[in-house]
Amino acid sequence: MDFSISPELEALRVRVREFIADEVMPLETRPDSYNEYENIKLDLVASMREKARAAGLWAPQMPVERGGLGLPITGWAVIYEEAARSIFGPVILNCNAPDDGNMSVLNKVLPDDAMKDKWLQPIIDGKVRSSFVMTEPHPGSGSDPGGMMLTKAERKNDRYVINGRKWFISGAAVATHFILMARTSDDPRHGLSAFLFHRDDPGWRIVRRIENMGPDEHGGVCELEFDGLEIPIEHRLLEEGDGLRITQIRLGPARLTHCMRWTGMAKRCLEIANAYVNERYAFGQKLIERESVRMMLGDVAHQIQIGKLLTMHAAWKLEQGDKAQKEVSMAKIHVAEVLHKAADTGIQLCGAKGYSTDTLLEWMYRYARCARLVDGASEVHKMVLARHYGKLGNDFWGWGG
Ligand SMILES: Cc1cc2nc3c(=O)[nH]c(=O)nc-3n(C[C@H](O)[C@H](O)[C@H](O)COP(=O)(O)OP(=O)(O)OC[C@H]3O[C@@H](n4cnc5c(N)ncnc54)[C@H](O)[C@@H]3O)c2cc1C
């Protein structure tokens, strides 16, 4: 078993690390970098993206022939983690959610170059942003899209007509390209289908941008209403009834790329706390000299390493062509907890300063709370794991399987 990474990947990791430290992290402390939703301003993103592209660090997950770095999924893990040392890093390298998950699924399922040129390339080039439209308000579907989705896509000749309501759609207020899940039949396994639509298509609207506790993604999380949106049959992804399959193709890697970024963010929390306890004195000693403080740092450090290993194992399995369902679920549950714990421990160790906006810890703490909900609540992933354990017994922990 070889845990080393190639010299080329290590060299790229170091270049990303330097770019983030030299070019991106200085922006975090400048108030004029932020928009009203506590994220980096879009005009600043545009100019920083040019720098990332010029530095050869653009879209690590996309094929070289489409302008990315063509890394395998284990390579994404290494690079995303470095990028997410800064809260602005992933969007500047074009490996942020939800675009990266949308790019991955479109790259896999679009049938030909013409469709990829139209729907995928502008996202890779950073010319447009995208959204994944699945979750619905009550009584529609949240954790159980297959069973409960109410948004309907009715076939009328060579078109589908969409009616329904969605919410918590990340990025919708700035997105141009949308991937939509809707019900095409009552079949419990093949009742959903996936479609593409464009922001300018008539028959839908953004009802509101939902206020929430976190610093917001660009375009926020939005509630959408569909009232007769017409989608031509060529804009259906795969076959009718393949919606859940598309969801799995998208969410496996997309959940894992969250883990990659969250690991980078958890490391940053610890880095901030470590710097503080190494210079701050209380009762005649530096805080770092107290064993209880070192225990807190050591506790988070080892939890981060467990998360890295779970993430890398799942990435490796995805690379082998496995769906890696249970490995992705385990990584997602664990890393979501670790991110929260790292931010919380960071605040505790930095005392009042940690609670203030003088460090990024409070930003990351508020952001971290959504990690246990997005792309499947932790309880749902545990349910999935119990299902696998029920089928596999002790083979759950098998080496190859
Ligand atoms: C910041 C943010 C961004 C998001 N972005 C998107 C997006 O871009 N596109 C999109 O489609 N959706 C998005 N979502 C929605 C997200 O995917 C859902 O919140 C998630 O799937 C859970 O669905 P729900 O919120 O409807 O929870 P519900 O299904 O209402 O469940 C509520 C709670 O019940 C518990 N629960 C549910 N099922 C089980 C079970 N089987 N066993 C035990 N307990 C259970 C869990 O604790 C869960 O948190 C986003 C959400 C947030 C917070």
Side-chain angles (χ1 to χ4, degrees):
M1 212 171 284
D2 184 355
F3 287 94
S4 61
I5 60 173
S6 69
E8 296 76 25
L9 184 57
E10 173 59 10
L12 180 63
R13 185 189 72 77
V14 171
R15 285 203 292 130
V16 172
R17 186 179 169 78
E18 287 169 358
F19 180 81
I20 295 294
D22 299 344
E23 304 282 350
V24 183
M25 284 166 64
L27 303 174
E28 296 171 341
T29 48
R30 281 181 21 200
D32 63 344
S33 300
Y34 292 83
N35 65 17
E36 71 268 43
Y37 299 105
E38 304 178 78
N39 204 340
I40 181 171
K41 282 181 180 160
L42 280 172
D43 54 351
L44 188 52
V45 174
S47 61
M48 290 304 297
R49 283 180 155 197
E50 285 315 312
K51 284 191 181 178
R53 215 190 297 256
L57 306 177
W58 183 251
Q61 74 286 29
M62 283 292 107
V64 173
E65 60 276 19
R66 290 211 165 263
L69 301 183
L71 296 182
I73 302 178
T74 48
W76 307 358
V78 173
I79 298 307
Y80 279 44
E81 189 182 310
E82 285 298 351
R85 184 175 175 217
S86 167
I87 56 171
F88 298 155
V91 73
I92 288 173
L93 268 54
N94 199 7
C95 61
N96 55 306
D99 283 334
D100 81 324
N102 295 337
M103 284 188 265
S104 293
V105 70
L106 293 179
N107 190 39
K108 274 199 193 128
V109 307
L110 286 176
D112 53 40
D113 277 342
M115 285 290 275
K116 285 190 184 180
D117 291 348
K118 182 174 174 186
W119 290 100
L120 170 63
Q121 195 63 48
I123 315 176
I124 300 181
D125 292 343
K127 290 186 179 143
V128 306
R129 301 288 286 273
S130 62
S131 281
F132 184 74
V133 186
M134 183 157 80
T135 306
E136 300 175 340
H138 183 76
S141 67
S143 301
D144 178 17
M148 294 175 59
M149 190 168 290
L150 293 179
T151 299
K152 282 217 163 75
E154 273 182 278
R155 179 84 183 260
K156 296 227 166 110
N157 304 317
D158 60 349
R159 324 208 122 228
Y160 288 88
V161 180
I162 313 293
N163 286 291
R165 192 167 274 257
K166 301 282 183 180
W167 77 346
F168 279 92
I169 306 310
S170 293
V174 295
T176 303
H177 292 188
F178 292 82
I179 301 172
L180 166 73
M181 305 297 302
R183 182 168 292 287
T184 39
S185 83
D186 290 332
D187 186 308
R189 293 178 70 84
H190 303 285
L192 305 186
S193 301
F195 304 91
L196 290 165
F197 72 93
H198 190 277
R199 177 183 57 197
D200 296 338
D201 294 340
W204 76 283
R205 69 181 180 108
I206 294 179
V207 178
R208 62 177 176 135
R209 185 170 171 148
I210 302 167
E211 300 282 333
N212 62 74
M213 75 184 276
D216 245 356
E217 301 290 348
H218 294 120
V221 285
C222 299
E223 182 164 352
L224 317 184
E225 185 182 60
F226 294 87
D227 183 15
L229 167 71
E230 292 193 12
I231 299 182
I233 190 167
E234 315 83 83
H235 293 172
R236 188 188 66 213
L237 294 172
L238 299 181
E239 299 303 318
E240 189 171 301
D242 277 341
L244 280 180
R245 203 172 137 215
I246 297 273
T247 304
Q248 286 313 321
I249 294 172
R250 183 186 182 278
L251 285 179
R255 285 170 174 144
L256 206 59
T257 57
H258 273 317
C259 297
M260 297 167 189
R261 288 182 293 264
W262 294 341
T263 299
M265 194 183 268
K267 282 166 62 183
R268 180 73 186 282
C269 293
L270 210 57
E271 194 181 328
I272 295 169
N274 192 37
Y276 185 84
V277 297
N278 270 282
E279 70 171 22
R280 182 74 164 163
Y281 280 81
F283 304 100
Q285 271 185 330
K286 268 191 183 169
L287 290 175
I288 189 65
E289 286 159 15
R290 306 245 162 223
E291 190 175 18
S292 58
V293 167
R294 294 203 300 269
M295 288 279 173
M296 287 164 81
L297 290 175
D299 186 24
V300 177
H302 99 279
Q303 294 291 340
I304 289 175
Q305 179 68 4
I306 294 169
K308 271 173 75 108
L309 292 173
L310 286 169
T311 302
M312 202 48 112
H313 183 222
W316 175 80
K317 289 205 81 167
L318 284 171
E319 234 166 75
Q320 312 302 309
D322 194 288
K323 286 188 194 142
Q325 225 185 8
K326 69 180 175 19
E327 288 75 16
V328 170
S329 282
M330 284 190 278
K332 165 81 179 33
I333 295 164
H334 182 81
V335 181
E337 297 276 353
V338 172
L339 175 59
H340 193 259
K341 187 175 174 65
D344 186 55
T345 305
I347 290 173
Q348 194 64 21
L349 286 175
C350 289
K353 187 178 179 186
Y355 187 68
S356 78
T357 55
D358 282 6
T359 77
L360 286 172
L361 288 166
E362 63 83 33
W363 191 108
M364 295 192 279
Y365 182 79
R366 285 181 292 120
Y367 169 85
R369 189 58 188 86
C370 77
R372 278 142 63 196
L373 299 170
V374 293
D375 287 353
S378 297
E379 293 74 19
V380 174
H381 287 288
K382 288 177 189 173
M383 177 186 79
V384 169
L385 289 180
R387 214 181 268 158
H388 281 280
Y389 178 66
K391 270 195 218 142
L392 295 170
N394 278 352
D395 289 340
F396 182 93
W397 298 278
W399 290 112

